[in-house]
Amino acid sequence: MVFFAAAITRSILRRAAKPYVFPRRWISSDGASGSDAITAAGYHVSGGPSFMRGTVFWEPNRPLTIEEFHMPKPKAGEILIKTKACGVCHSDLHVLKGELPFSSPCVVGHEITGEVVEHGAHTDSGIIKRFPIGSHVVGAFIMPCGNCFFCVKGQEDLCEAFFAYNRAKGTLYDGETRLYLRSNGKPVYMYSMGGMAEYCVVPANGLAALPNSLPYTESAILGCAVFTAYGALRHAAEMRAGDSVAVIGVGGVGSSCLQIAKAFGAAEIIAVDVLDEKLQNAKILGATHTINGLKEDVVDKIKEITGGRGVDVAVEALGKPLTFMQCTKSVRDGGKAVMIGLAATNAIGEVDITRLVRRQVKIIGSYGARARQDLPQVVKLAETGIFNLRDTVTRKCKFEEANAAFDDLNHGKIIGRAVIEVM
């Protein structure tokens, strides 16, 4: 991510230290002067509109606003998507609270479904054939370039261009955003594809076909929540049938881990949270045991369930120092502790070094998965009914309700995953 100049960063972090309250209503912005604006006027979808609406994050402790944009224009290898649904994720919340500095103003939202409406000029014919106009698609939040050192090696979850441009600068891989305000032409940055908008531009490598049998709304979570869970258990944990698995934090991503663990044949699936409602939902999604971390010692209870050994794989999905430590202590000797929860900048996790060395405990970070090879597999799990989309998405919101959705997410009021229905 682009980390602002030191003084600005310190200012943001000071503001973020205060409790963050999301307004329940939209507040219109005044807009900035257009004297130095970069204009994108003149482009419109064939036979369609020349502008759209999108949600804009300006700075921490300021509400999201709905703004009008010039229609984003895809370039070679990119596709313009008419957004149908976008998930409400903690990663976005970290940005909104200033816990993860990111270029602003920006449009958040990074797990989407939608309809293909246009291909960028000079896009390869193979891409056009794979994603024809009118086809349904799902977008992964990691949009691999396909050409860097890691993409060539098949490690698209480490794509250099994605991190150097999108996460560091809020742009796509030519160093430019595709979003420009209609009022003054000024650029607005993109968190992934900037999915909380009526249209978004996505590199084709970050898309997979969505069967018509799958609903737009519930399927939006496939591109982050389920995608991340799949990557954690398939690649980081290399989970095997018969393994015991603990998931610490069973919100949108954590509850997806429960289902992926079940799909991969886990013998025991232990869900850990501090809310009984989430633990009840966890049982529906495949948990064989549940632990309320406010009522029981998490590590002791996991060891009791596993005959004193600990689990083969523990997944931490909250990004907090306490749960990081619980995760590392919950695995058996030789076990794997997989960290998928993003934390506030400079958060530190503690680990028992001697046990780590002597007992060969493996601590592994995992961020998303590999779009070209994994996203179609994730879609297949949903298409066949192995992954239960219906019970994972526990709230559907209108486009205008994004502030309220993030407010509820911030206060732990969303049991599974909330999805915003855009169009």
Side-chain angles (χ1 to χ4, degrees), residues 96-147:
L96 301 186
K97 294 171 70 175
E99 295 172 346
L100 290 177
F102 189 79
S103 299
S104 63
C106 72
V107 172
V108 293
H110 58 270
E111 54 177 19
I112 62 108
T113 54
E115 177 186 337
V116 174
V117 295
E118 199 137 291
H119 306 97
H122 310 298
T123 291
D124 182 81
S125 61
I127 292 173
I128 296 173
K129 184 177 180 180
R130 190 160 74 251
F131 302 115
I133 302 297
S135 59
H136 299 189
V137 292
V138 58
F141 80 93
I142 296 179
M143 309 170 298
C145 72
N147 300 312

Side-chain angles (χ1 to χ4, degrees), residues 157-179:
D157 41 351
L158 293 174
C159 174
E160 292 173 316
F162 173 75
F163 287 98
Y165 286 97
N166 190 266
R167 283 298 181 264
K169 299 179 180 179
T171 70
L172 293 185
Y173 308 145
D174 59 354
E176 295 181 0
T177 181
R178 302 294 181 265
L179 299 175

